[in-house]
Amino acid sequence: MLRKIRIAVSVILFSLITLYFIDFAGILPHSFSFLAEIQFLPALLALNFVVLGALVVLTLIFGRVYCSSICPLGVFQDITYRLRRTLTKKKKFKYKKAANVLRWSVLGATVIAFIAGFTFLVGLLDPYSAFGRMSVHLLKPAYLAGNNLLEAIFTHFGNHTFYKMSVYIGSVFSMVMALVTLIVVGVMSWTGGRDYCNTICPVGTTLGFLSKYSLFKIRIDDNLCNSCGSCGRNCKASCIDTKNHKIDHSRCINCFDCIEVCSQSAMKFSYSTKAVRNTRKVD
């Protein structure tokens, strides 16, 4: 049930945010600007402490649900991985140690750039900006071209439902950066699931640190676990150490895939370790 709820929320928010970026016909009312306001870095740049506080509290209670459902780049990675799984039938992951040096180095560089006013690096690494860059400079021109194709077809038959729009693109540099972003994030998610979230993304590292102290976490019940390893093989964050029955909650994005595939119901999303008796301590 948790996984289904997560997928439903992700699909709704991802669809609305994508339409928000490519909408040229005014389908979405202006009030939908809240889709940008609830994103972490835009809220930080706007000094929107209400949203920032809400995201921090949300993370401290439920973990990285922002990364799993609210962040459009995170959902994009899930879509890419699911496409790979559909085409190649390969879906096995294995536990990998956290690349903490890289994670914290990128976050440190981003913080320094933010303080120094070097917005290029901040915008380059911010997941919402990255997704917006891909949507505006790559998806929107394709969307406009598709609209014009439909306009030509419908007009030929005397139907004027569609109207022709000029297909425009930004600067060559902007398009190249959007393409590079698409390739980097796409390849990383195709081969490693949520590797971008857990190695490069500064927002992911920040919320990952907070999620280590969240009240609700996915935990392993040793009394029920038969060590089949299915949870680890299906963990796109590669954060479940099935050998030692430990979960790196700084990288867990609460996708709940592990709970879904566990045939023994040994994976629990619980309030505290006391909720799962006689289990080993997890981080």
Side-chain angles (χ1 to χ4, degrees):
M1 178 59 72
L2 288 174
R3 180 174 179 271
K4 292 179 179 178
I5 293 174
R6 188 266 303 173
I7 291 176
V9 173
S10 299
V11 169
I12 292 172
L13 288 179
F14 180 81
S15 301
L16 289 175
I17 291 172
T18 302
L19 182 58
Y20 178 73
F21 277 119
I22 68 175
D23 182 24
F24 65 87
I27 298 175
L28 291 179
H30 180 71
S31 58
F32 274 77
S33 61
F34 82 90
L35 294 169
E37 296 169 358
I38 62 174
Q39 302 298 320
F40 189 88
L41 191 59
L44 179 62
L45 293 174
L47 298 179
N48 191 333
F49 296 111
V50 174
V51 172
L52 287 174
L55 292 177
V56 168
V57 170
L58 183 68
T59 304
L60 288 174
I61 295 177
F62 298 110
R64 289 175 60 180
V65 292
Y66 172 88
C67 300
S68 63
S69 299
I70 301 176
C71 174
L73 193 67
V75 181
F76 169 77
Q77 292 172 76
D78 289 345
I79 294 173
T80 303
Y81 162 68
R82 180 168 288 275
L83 178 62
R84 168 220 163 178
R85 191 178 70 176
T86 301
L87 295 177
T88 65
K89 303 301 180 182
K90 295 179 180 179
K91 59 178 181 179
K92 293 183 179 180
F93 290 101
K94 61 181 180 179
Y95 174 75
K96 295 185 293 187
K97 291 184 178 180
N100 287 327
V101 174
L102 177 59
R103 296 169 75 189
W104 289 102
S105 296
V106 173
L107 176 60
T110 305
V111 171
I112 293 174
F114 178 77
I115 295 175
F118 185 51
T119 57
F120 174 77
L121 180 62
V122 179
L124 183 66
L125 298 177
D126 169 47
Y128 182 72
S129 299
F131 182 76
R133 190 161 52 246
M134 294 188 300
S135 298
V136 172
H137 298 292
L138 298 177
L139 182 58
K140 189 172 184 176
Y143 182 53
L144 288 168
N147 170 83
N148 290 348
L149 176 61
L150 290 176
E151 185 273 338
I153 296 174
F154 275 63
T155 300
H156 178 75
F157 292 99
N159 188 313
H160 300 281
T161 300
F162 296 88
Y163 53 93
K164 191 172 184 178
M165 296 291 298
S166 298
V167 179
Y168 58 90
I169 61 175
S171 65
V172 174
F173 178 77
S174 298
M175 175 166 283
V176 170
M177 292 307 300
L179 185 60
V180 170
T181 301
L182 175 65
I183 293 174
V184 171
V185 178
V187 170
M188 291 186 72
S189 56
W190 183 274
T191 59
R194 284 298 191 104
D195 274 355
Y196 182 87
C197 287
N198 288 326
T199 56
I200 303 298
C201 180
V203 176
T205 300
T206 302
L207 297 181
F209 172 76
L210 295 176
S211 67
K212 292 171 64 176
Y213 308 99
S214 62
L215 297 179
F216 287 85
K217 296 176 181 176
I218 296 176
R219 310 173 193 276
I220 303 175
D221 187 339
D222 284 356
N223 292 330
L224 299 175
C225 180
N226 63 358
S227 299
C228 68
S230 61
C231 56
R233 290 193 298 270
N234 287 274
C235 176
K236 53 197 170 191
S238 299
C239 68
I240 302 179
D241 183 354
T242 55
K243 181 179 179 180
N244 297 301
H245 289 205
K246 292 185 178 181
I247 301 174
D248 181 357
H249 289 103
S250 72
R251 290 184 290 154
C252 176
I253 59 165
N254 286 357
C255 66
F256 306 120
D257 287 357
C258 58
I259 296 178
E260 183 79 9
V261 299
C262 183
S263 61
Q264 304 299 312
S265 299
M267 306 300 292
K268 312 285 186 178
F269 186 59
S270 60
Y271 171 73
S272 69
T273 52
K274 295 179 181 179
V276 183
R277 297 181 179 178
N278 300 321
T279 60
R280 300 177 187 181
K281 183 179 180 181
V282 293
D283 296 329

